[in-house]
């Protein structure tokens, strides 16, 4: 390479580094169709068998993760976004699985147990640099509307998938990881001993309650 | 030349087809396996995220090892009929040494490395009988992320577990 050409290359390299686009990594990524993933359960998670199968109704799903951008799953590499709020994704997953197991009430008034869900983690957690660590953590407050009693049920879903270099693979792996963690979390809730104990306890109190007790509106 | 390469390829394919196939794995030895979050002994200073990550890694390794039909989450209910053929893994992280970057750089040969020791009990779910106890000791460079140590520890644990439980009836 001749000296003038070398100088030209160096100048171009400096200009590229100083250009605003090159520094775009420092800015917050924006959601676009290319960097947005859709997370949902591929199939309903089978629920456990109850002695007296109750009908559940999910009253509300609240995000308590404290994450200011709950739809931003990954900030690096131009960002990866969810297409919906984690609350909507989890609600859909729970309802889908409860419906498949015939445990979902048609409306709030016909439900035996009302469930209020609080999400504490949804998305990627801090893992090793080599892979993606997906985590879905939530607490469900299962309430008997007749007696007003409630029991807390915790559930956690985790998943680890290998990392990726190419953006396309990266997005696919992140999506797979979060979907697996979501499935695991829903399964942990629906098949958990905690839910079994909660349902047994709430059904017992319902049977013990005097006949005159009026259902409370919540 | 083309003829020669054709012969070489044929020989390679023939050799590939005559080599004994990888020993076929039968059905998994156990119905379910449940890993619990490991407790930390007094004096062990690891981040809370480490415990979660190790739990996730252990479950991932158990799935890979195909020892059980189903690797269930912590606290999930198991059918009574499956309980005698199910495992529960409980354990304690007994020691963690942060290591020293200076020692590692000056002395080398593994000096100053991060070190993690843990004991795990593999129990049968049905009667809580201890099937085996596994001791794991992992050491890595102090500059590496502690989560890598979790990954290595989970791999070691499952590998030892698989060896120890080989003698158990299916």
């Amino acid at each position: 390479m001749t000296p003038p050409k070398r100088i030209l290359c160096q100048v171009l390299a400096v200009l590229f580094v100083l250009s605003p686009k090159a520094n775009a990594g420092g800015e917050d990524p924006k959601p676009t169709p290319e960097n947005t993933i859709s997370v949902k359960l591929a199939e309903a998670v089978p629920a456990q068998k109850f002695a007296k199968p109750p009908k559940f109704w999910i009253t509300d799903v609240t995000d308590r993760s404290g994450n200011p951008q709950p739809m931003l799953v990954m900030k690096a590499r131009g960002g990866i976004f969810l297409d919906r709020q984690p609350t909507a994704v989890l609600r859909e997953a729970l309802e889908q699985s409860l419906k498949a197991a015939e445990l979902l009430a048609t409306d709030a008034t016909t439900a035996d147990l009302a469930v209020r869900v609080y999400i504490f983690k949804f998305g990627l957690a801090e893992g090793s640099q080599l892979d993606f660590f997906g985590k879905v953590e939530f607490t469900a407050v299962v309430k008997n509307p007749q007696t007003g009693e409630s029991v807390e049920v915790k559930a956690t879903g985790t998943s680890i998938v290998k990392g990726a270099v190419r953006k396309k693979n990266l997005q696919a792996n992140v999506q797979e990881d979060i979907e697996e963690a979501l499935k695991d979390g829903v399964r942990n809730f629906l098949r958990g001993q905690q839910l079994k104990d909660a349902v047994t306890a709430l059904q017992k109190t319902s049977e013990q309650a005097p006949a005159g007790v009026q259902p409370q509106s919540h | 030349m083309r003829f020669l390469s054709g012969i070489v390829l044929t020989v390679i394919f023939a050799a590939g087809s005559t080599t004994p196939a990888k020993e076929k794995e039968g059905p998994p030895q156990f119905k379910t396996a449940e890993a619990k979050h490991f407790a930390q002994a007094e004096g062990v200073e690891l981040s809370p995220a480490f415990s979660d990550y190790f739990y996730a890694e252990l479950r991932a390794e158990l799935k890979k090892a195909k020892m059980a039909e189903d690797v269930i989450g912590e606290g999930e209910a198991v059918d009574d009929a499956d309980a005698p053929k199910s495992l529960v893994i409980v354990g304690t992280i007994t020691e963690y040494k942060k290591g020293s970057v200076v020692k590692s750089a000056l002395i080398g040969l593994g000096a100053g490395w991060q070190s993690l020791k843990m004991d795990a009990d593999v129990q049968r779910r049905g009667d809580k009988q201890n099937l085996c106890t596994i001791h794991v000791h992992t050491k890595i460079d102090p500059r590496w992320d502690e989560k890598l140590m979790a990954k290595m520890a989970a791999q070691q644990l499952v590998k030892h577990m698989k060896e120890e439980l080989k003698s158990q009836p299916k």
Side-chain angles (χ1 to χ4, degrees):
Chain A
M1 201 181 278
T2 55
K5 272 189 182 173
R6 192 180 295 161
I7 291 166
L8 186 70
C9 285
Q10 284 170 350
V11 169
L12 283 174
V14 169
L15 282 176
F16 175 75
V17 170
L18 296 176
S19 68
K21 201 168 182 183
N23 290 331
E27 290 172 13
D28 276 347
K30 302 275 183 292
T32 61
E34 288 78 39
N35 67 359
T36 303
I37 55 170
S38 178
V39 172
K40 56 188 167 206
L41 286 184
E43 55 189 26
V45 176
Q48 62 183 300
K49 300 272 183 290
F50 295 99
K52 286 182 203 167
K55 292 285 183 191
F56 294 94
W57 182 253
I58 296 166
T59 54
D60 199 16
V61 182
T62 313
D63 195 336
R64 286 276 170 88
S65 64
N67 183 0
Q69 286 180 292
M71 287 164 79
L72 176 61
V73 177
M74 189 176 156
K75 206 171 176 180
R77 307 280 306 272
I80 298 177
F81 288 85
L82 295 173
D83 62 343
R84 291 172 296 161
Q85 290 283 343
T87 50
V89 178
L90 184 59
R91 185 185 201 115
E92 185 195 72
L94 286 170
E95 284 179 350
Q96 184 188 346
S97 300
L98 286 170
K99 199 173 180 182
E102 294 179 356
L103 294 172
L104 186 68
T106 48
D107 54 45
T109 53
T110 57
D112 301 314
L113 299 169
V115 183
R116 185 179 277 263
V117 182
Y118 298 96
I119 299 177
F120 293 103
K121 181 77 199 171
F122 192 101
L124 295 182
E126 199 190 324
S128 73
Q129 317 294 316
L130 305 175
D131 45 32
F132 296 121
F133 175 30
K135 194 174 174 193
V136 172
E137 192 177 8
F138 61 92
T139 293
V141 179
V142 185
K143 189 173 187 174
N144 184 336
Q146 287 184 318
T147 61
E149 272 195 69
S150 60
V151 180
E152 243 183 52
V153 177
K154 286 179 183 170
T156 311
T158 57
S159 169
I160 287 179
V161 300
K162 63 181 180 188
V165 179
R166 288 181 63 206
K167 176 82 178 176
K168 196 179 156 191
N169 298 341
L170 190 90
Q171 237 167 263
N173 287 9
V174 168
Q175 182 174 353
E176 184 196 332
D177 195 30
I178 300 175
E179 278 179 350
E180 195 56 43
L182 173 68
K183 185 181 161 192
D184 201 48
V186 171
R187 187 198 145 114
N188 195 231
F189 172 66
L190 293 175
R191 297 183 71 90
Q193 189 65 41
Q194 279 189 40
L195 183 67
K196 196 174 200 174
D197 295 344
V199 168
T200 310
L202 293 171
Q203 283 178 336
K204 199 178 270 181
T205 53
S206 186
E207 283 163 11
Q208 284 168 354
V213 172
Q214 291 293 314
Q216 295 171 359
S217 59
H218 293 280
Chain B
M1 185 66 197
R2 197 176 291 168
F3 177 72
L4 192 69
S5 55
I7 290 174
V8 170
L9 277 174
T10 314
V11 168
I12 290 170
F13 277 117
S17 60
T18 52
T19 47
K22 211 177 179 185
E23 199 180 315
K24 274 194 179 176
E25 284 181 19
Q29 201 175 354
F30 298 95
K31 283 276 181 190
T32 69
E34 178 189 354
K36 295 205 180 272
H37 276 82
F38 276 30
Q40 290 184 13
E42 224 177 284
V44 174
E45 289 176 10
L46 281 161
S47 63
F50 179 90
S51 177
D52 278 346
Y53 185 75
F54 175 71
Y55 164 75
E57 270 294 349
L58 184 55
R59 290 189 62 206
E61 287 299 326
L62 284 168
K63 278 179 196 167
K64 266 190 222 165
K66 291 177 185 168
M67 288 175 66
E69 282 175 22
D70 208 357
V71 178
I72 61 172
E74 190 170 9
E76 281 178 31
V78 172
D79 289 342
D80 291 342
D82 293 340
K85 284 182 181 173
S86 295
L87 298 175
V88 181
I89 303 153
V90 287
T92 309
I93 297 170
T94 51
E95 188 190 280
Y96 170 63
K97 286 181 186 165
K98 269 184 193 172
S100 160
V101 179
V102 177
K103 266 190 195 172
S104 170
L106 291 178
I107 305 168
L109 302 166
W113 279 22
Q114 294 186 71
S115 149
L116 180 81
K117 282 182 186 172
M118 55 175 69
D119 294 339
D121 290 329
V122 183
Q123 299 170 346
R124 191 186 290 134
R125 193 177 195 99
D127 53 6
K128 300 269 182 257
Q129 193 198 327
N130 212 1
L131 299 176
C132 62
T133 300
I134 294 158
H135 305 284
V136 174
H137 186 193
T138 320
K139 285 178 107 182
I140 62 163
D141 191 283
R143 283 159 286 206
W144 292 3
D145 191 354
E146 62 183 21
K147 305 236 173 41
L148 282 172
M149 204 160 51
K151 198 178 186 70
M152 286 168 66
Q155 281 171 354
Q156 263 189 48
L157 179 55
V158 172
K159 192 181 159 201
H160 289 312
M161 213 175 109
K162 211 170 176 180
E163 282 165 11
E164 294 269 342
L165 295 176
K166 255 182 194 167
S167 55
Q168 290 291 322
K170 284 197 178 183

